[in-house]
């Protein structure tokens, strides 16, 4: 799933525009696997498995792989449907310098939710 | 002429905590007064769908005012040097002052989130003033789940971050139109206002040690909470109902923290039976 994020984000002009002030690396943990997301002005340059201990990005968001799987469903169960609901329920953690995350909160939430089918929430 | 909605809005000035404050109020319908209290950091527009529903307005005079510092109500003169912080006492006094100013007799009061909390305080302290209370997403105790310092600081946009926090409180099933309208209200809040409301909601307003003293024979209590609410969870709602003897709690599947504004069509299925019972 995580490999679909790059194309989904980069093909979403509105999402890239909202992230135009974001140029940084951050880490996403899916279970035991860590990935480095490299963002350049809202576009995802690369998503690569972390290979070196000293490569960490500005902040890290981690959850178990079955938590992400539920999060990426069209209609996730409660406590899995949103990053902050996952934090509230203890299903996910965020660490590091979270200021750029908070400054671009909708951008990062939408990037992480990108694998979800695009017609979510429609009647 | 355009096809006007049946909602009318007016302004008046009332005393709140010793300060005269210019208040904005909207209403529609005729019958039993139904005072509606908006969520933290938002305003009375959240109740617009109830005000345009004849099944409600045929029997109820639906009244929603913007709290001081919110929506089209003003902050008190001198606000520029104050830090806004809502307390239990100030909130109760504001609602009572509003009901007095409007000369409402035996109103029903329905509030959501922090409004759902304060209606329970009102049922405890002023059961003789209200025909019934309806707590939407209201509990007698909650635990905060994020650091509210992020809500008011110069390097983070307050409206964007408020909406970013609460967007997860909208159920994934809710229609996109109403999801984003609900979030728009959050994006429009004044600086530090959502944070100041959360002082009441997450710090000052706990009263699970006293909520069991609410006399539901004098003032019936109805609790309606959404399945996807991450703060007033179904579990916290049911725990509150267990402490308030005689209260009735319903968990609304497929709804989040903003039932009346995020999914009005689904919410009315739960709200109408409660409103029907109250008037009978």
């Amino acid at each position: 799933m995580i490999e679909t994020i790059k194309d989904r984000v980069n093909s979403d002009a509105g999402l890239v525009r909202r992230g135009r002030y974001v140029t940084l690396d951050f880490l996403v943990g899916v279970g035991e696997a860590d990935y480095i997301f490299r963002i350049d002005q809202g576009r995802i340059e690369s998503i690569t498995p972390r290979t070196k201990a000293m490569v960490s990005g500005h902040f890290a968001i981690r959850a178990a792989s079955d938590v992400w799987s539920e999060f990426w469903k069209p209609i996730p169960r409660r406590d899995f449907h949103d990053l902050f609901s996952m934090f509230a329920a203890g299903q996910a953690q965020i660490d590091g310098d979270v200021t750029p995350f908070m400054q671009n909160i909708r951008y990062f939430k939408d990037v992480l939710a990108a694998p979800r089918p695009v017609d979510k929430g429609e009647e | 002429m355009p096809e006007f909605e049946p909602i009318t809005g007016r302004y008046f000035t009332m005393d709140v905590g010793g300060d005269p404050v210019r208040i904005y109020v909207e209403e529609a319908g005729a019958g039993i007064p139904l005072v509606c209290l908006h969520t933290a950091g938002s305003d009375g527009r959240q109740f617009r769908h109830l005000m345009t529903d004849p099944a409600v307005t045929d029997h109820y005079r639906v009244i929603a005012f913007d709290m001081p510092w919110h929506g089209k109500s003003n902050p008190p003169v001198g606000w520029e040097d104050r830090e806004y912080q809502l307390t239990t006492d100030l909130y109760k006094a504001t609602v009572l002052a509003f009901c007095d100013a409007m000369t409402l007799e035996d109103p029903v009061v329905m509030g959501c989130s922090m409004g759902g909390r304060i209606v329970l305080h009102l049922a405890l302290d002023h059961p003789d003033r209200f025909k019934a209370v309806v707590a939407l997403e209201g509990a007698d105790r909650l635990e905060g789940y994020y650091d509210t310092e992020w809500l008011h600081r110069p390097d983070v946009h307050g409206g964007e971050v408020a909406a970013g926090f609460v967007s997860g409180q909208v159920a994934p099933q809710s229609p996109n139109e109403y999801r984003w309208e609900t979030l728009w209200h959050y994006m429009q809040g004044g600086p530090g206002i959502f944070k100041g409301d959360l002082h009441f909601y997450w710090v000052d307003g706990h009263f699970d040690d006293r909520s069991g003293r609410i006399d539901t024979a004098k003032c019936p209590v109805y609790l309606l909470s959404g399945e996807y609410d991450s703060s007033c969870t179904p579990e916290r709602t049911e725990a509150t109902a267990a402490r308030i003897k005689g209260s009735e709690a319903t968990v609304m599947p497929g709804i989040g923290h903003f039932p009346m504004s995020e999914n009005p069509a689904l919410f009315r299925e739960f709200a109408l039976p409660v409103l029907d019972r109250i008037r009978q």
Side-chain angles (χ1 to χ4, degrees):
Chain A
M1 272 292 199
I2 200 157
E3 61 278 4
T4 67
I5 291 179
K6 180 180 172 185
D7 285 347
R8 282 183 180 263
V9 170
N10 292 346
S11 62
D12 184 339
L15 182 49
V16 171
R17 178 182 57 78
R18 283 201 299 282
R20 65 195 179 281
Y21 294 110
V22 181
T23 297
L24 53 68
D25 293 354
F26 73 104
L27 186 153
V28 176
V30 180
E32 297 298 310
D34 286 349
Y35 297 87
I36 300 294
F37 282 49
R38 174 152 291 178
I39 313 290
D40 183 7
Q41 296 181 73
R43 289 181 56 82
I44 298 186
E45 251 183 44
S46 59
I47 298 174
T48 49
R50 180 193 200 181
T51 54
K52 298 184 179 68
M54 299 305 288
V55 177
S56 62
H58 273 71
F59 56 86
I61 297 173
R62 288 192 167 88
S65 79
D66 59 342
V67 171
W68 287 119
S69 297
E70 182 66 28
F71 174 71
W72 287 325
K73 286 181 180 172
I75 303 288
R77 301 199 307 274
R78 74 179 177 108
D79 295 340
F80 297 84
H81 64 288
D82 177 86
L83 209 50
F84 280 90
S85 303
M86 284 152 58
F87 294 152
Q91 313 263 35
Q93 296 81 39
I94 183 166
D95 297 292
D97 174 16
V98 298
T99 301
F101 174 83
M102 301 305 290
Q103 287 171 324
N104 299 277
I105 187 169
R106 185 178 160 202
Y107 173 77
F108 284 112
K109 286 178 76 167
D110 287 354
V111 165
L112 290 168
R116 238 181 241 168
V118 290
D119 63 346
K120 65 182 189 294
E122 297 286 1
E123 277 186 308
Chain B
M1 289 287 279
E3 193 174 325
F4 282 113
E5 296 180 15
I7 303 171
T8 55
R10 299 185 74 179
Y11 293 90
F12 70 97
T13 297
M14 71 178 191
D15 193 84
V16 179
D19 294 307
V21 180
R22 185 170 186 253
I23 295 291
Y24 177 67
V25 56
E26 291 182 346
E27 68 170 272
I32 301 166
L34 174 63
V35 177
C36 299
L37 307 175
H38 58 75
T39 63
S42 189
D43 59 61
R45 286 176 292 177
Q46 291 178 320
F47 291 95
R48 73 177 179 93
H49 301 282
L50 278 185
M51 293 188 185
T52 54
D53 187 340
V56 179
T57 54
D58 284 353
H59 307 287
Y60 285 92
R61 178 184 171 199
V62 186
I63 308 164
F65 71 101
D66 295 345
M67 286 282 287
W69 305 78
H70 297 70
K72 297 208 285 186
S73 291
N74 274 358
V77 172
W79 66 270
E80 63 273 19
D81 293 319
R82 297 192 196 177
E83 181 183 7
Y84 171 70
Q85 198 169 65
L86 186 63
T87 63
T88 308
D89 288 343
L90 180 63
Y91 200 176
K92 280 190 293 192
T94 304
V95 178
L96 293 174
F98 177 81
C99 293
D100 287 341
M102 297 283 289
T103 62
L104 302 178
E105 282 185 29
D106 209 21
V108 178
V109 60
M110 169 191 285
C112 188
S113 183
M114 72 169 189
R117 168 78 63 78
I118 203 65
V119 304
L120 299 176
H121 281 279
L122 291 167
L124 174 64
D125 294 340
H126 302 281
D128 50 321
R129 296 283 306 265
F130 299 98
K131 184 178 181 67
V133 305
V134 183
L136 310 174
E137 321 303 325
D140 57 8
R141 182 173 190 85
L142 294 172
E143 307 299 333
Y145 65 94
Y146 51 77
D147 179 0
T148 60
E149 286 299 315
W150 288 105
L151 293 170
H152 190 205
R153 47 187 278 166
D155 55 349
V156 176
H157 187 283
E160 297 260 21
V161 78
F165 270 129
V166 303
S167 64
Q169 292 271 55
V170 180
Q173 298 92 334
S174 289
N176 268 342
E177 175 185 356
Y178 297 130
R179 164 194 311 279
W180 287 105
E181 182 176 320
T182 299
L183 297 176
W184 181 250
H185 302 157
Y186 272 84
M187 294 177 181
Q188 293 186 310
I193 301 310
F194 184 32
K195 180 188 174 193
D197 283 341
L198 289 179
H199 175 74
F200 163 72
Y201 188 57
W202 276 352
V203 180
D204 188 59
H206 294 161
F207 74 128
D208 51 317
D209 56 335
R210 287 170 288 136
S211 60
R213 294 187 215 147
I214 293 173
D215 184 349
T216 56
K218 284 186 182 168
C219 183
V221 173
Y222 298 88
L223 302 151
L224 295 170
S225 288
E227 173 191 8
Y228 279 86
D229 192 324
S230 299
S231 59
C232 183
T233 59
E235 292 79 9
R236 288 176 180 143
T237 304
E238 282 158 3
T240 301
R243 284 186 279 272
I244 305 174
K245 301 290 178 253
S247 66
E248 293 186 24
T250 303
V251 173
M252 301 177 283
I255 290 186
H257 188 72
F258 310 96
M260 63 285 172
S261 68
E262 71 173 70
N263 198 338
L266 184 55
F267 173 59
R268 75 192 292 281
E269 292 180 22
F270 297 96
L272 288 177
V274 169
L275 293 174
D276 286 347
R277 285 199 43 200
I278 289 171
R279 70 188 170 87
Q280 276 155 15

